[in-house]
Amino acid sequence: MSTSRATADPLAALGSLPGVAESVESVRKAVDRVYGHRVMRRRSNAVTSEAALRGARGSAALSGADWALEEVRRRSDFGGDDARVVGAALRLTAEAGQLLSIWRQSPLRVLARLHLVAAATGADEVGRPRRAGEDVDEPLIELPLPDADEVSGRLDGLSELIIAGSSAPALVTAAVVHGELLALRPFTSNNGLVARAAERIVLIGSGLDPKSVCPAEVGHAELGRASYLAALDGYVSGTPEGMAAWIAHCGRAVELGARESTAVCEALQRGAA
């Protein structure tokens, strides 16, 4: 997606693509069902905690570490390749809620912080966009890699759009942030994890999911990696059909996350969780 200002509010223009309004409405209904559950009036913190755990598990699965939920729940040692991915996903989920107030003023600062948290090392390339000649460790995404200059320009454009604000539905903004970060892979590692954490920040900060109980990462994982990558191809194509398909895919992921938390609410109500 080009983030140049061809219109005064380019994100809002995406909301008029075929099928997007229907996706937005479907997401709103799914989110409202969770927030209307009686358990949310008494135990919303428990639902939020469980959604965070399940969201982290889903994000890690999409980055190649597909652990059972109970394994994620019980583990405290995150050494080893797969374990490091799961640990990074858990840290990002915890960190996302602390960055909401900064996101609208300085999204690039938030992205840098997310990468720092995910990488958890003091290496020179951590916490900043990659430079010319630096490799990217993101084996599950095989799209052509934009060069460092293009990454810098498009990140600046994305930042300008976020700071300026938009009348676009939260789903549209979240999908664009997510898709753009996956397309750019601006960091040398952990780009998928960072992109999904940024999507979470938009959904929470927009007010669509203020208690963070509708983890889109759960839905993305449930829809499967092949579907995820196929939808991303649509985003990268930049065509109206491709963009609409990516937004719809992200919307379905939020709906599935909402369904997951509705099931958690039911379990809490029965005393089973």
Side-chain angles (χ1 to χ4, degrees):
M1 175 194 175
S2 171
T3 52
S4 62
R5 288 186 170 275
T7 67
D9 191 351
L11 293 179
L14 296 177
S16 65
L17 292 176
V20 170
E22 290 81 356
S23 292
V24 168
E25 179 61 20
S26 186
V27 165
R28 169 52 66 189
K29 288 179 179 177
V31 172
D32 285 349
R33 279 194 292 272
V34 179
Y35 278 83
H37 198 286
R38 62 187 301 176
V39 167
M40 287 292 293
R41 294 196 294 271
R42 298 177 288 107
R43 301 189 64 184
S44 65
N45 288 343
V47 181
T48 295
S49 295
E50 190 64 21
L53 185 73
R54 294 176 186 225
R57 193 217 72 82
S59 191
L62 286 168
S63 286
D66 192 359
W67 287 16
L69 179 63
E70 292 311 312
E71 178 70 4
V72 178
R73 194 189 304 280
R74 74 172 186 83
R75 283 284 288 269
S76 57
D77 173 20
F78 294 101
D81 289 345
D82 277 7
R84 278 196 291 269
V85 173
V86 176
L90 287 166
R91 291 192 300 274
L92 283 173
T93 300
E95 187 74 10
Q98 310 302 313
L99 299 172
L100 297 172
S101 63
I102 306 172
W103 174 253
R104 283 295 301 272
Q105 286 73 43
S106 185
L108 297 185
R109 180 180 164 197
V110 169
L111 294 176
R113 174 63 185 170
L114 291 174
H115 187 242
L116 185 67
V117 168
T121 73
D124 171 68
E125 69 272 13
V126 170
R128 61 159 175 80
R130 55 186 168 85
R131 296 170 183 158
E134 290 183 328
D135 293 329
V136 173
D137 180 15
E138 203 73 44
L140 300 177
I141 299 176
E142 299 178 350
L143 295 167
L145 193 66
D147 65 30
D149 286 342
E150 181 178 351
V151 167
S152 177
R154 287 172 63 174
L155 280 179
D156 285 345
L158 182 64
S159 177
E160 289 171 7
L161 290 179
I162 298 302
I163 292 169
S166 172
S167 62
L171 172 64
V172 172
T173 303
V176 167
V177 168
H178 185 171
E180 191 72 355
L181 292 174
L182 287 179
L184 293 178
R185 282 144 291 160
F187 302 108
T188 57
S189 63
N190 297 298
N191 290 286
L193 295 175
V194 168
R196 291 184 287 275
E199 178 185 49
R200 173 183 284 269
I201 287 172
V202 174
L203 293 172
I204 300 169
S206 67
L208 176 64
D209 181 20
K211 294 183 182 293
S212 192
V213 295
C214 301
E217 304 96 323
V218 167
H220 287 303
E222 185 173 336
L223 291 167
R225 192 178 303 149
S227 179
Y228 185 65
L229 296 177
L232 178 61
D233 283 343
Y235 176 87
V236 172
S237 76
T239 64
E241 296 80 8
M243 294 293 294
W246 170 250
I247 294 168
H249 183 91
C250 291
R252 182 61 181 148
V254 177
E255 290 181 55
L256 290 171
R259 186 182 71 178
E260 184 89 352
S261 285
T262 299
V264 169
C265 287
E266 293 294 331
L268 288 169
Q269 186 167 277
R270 295 191 305 269

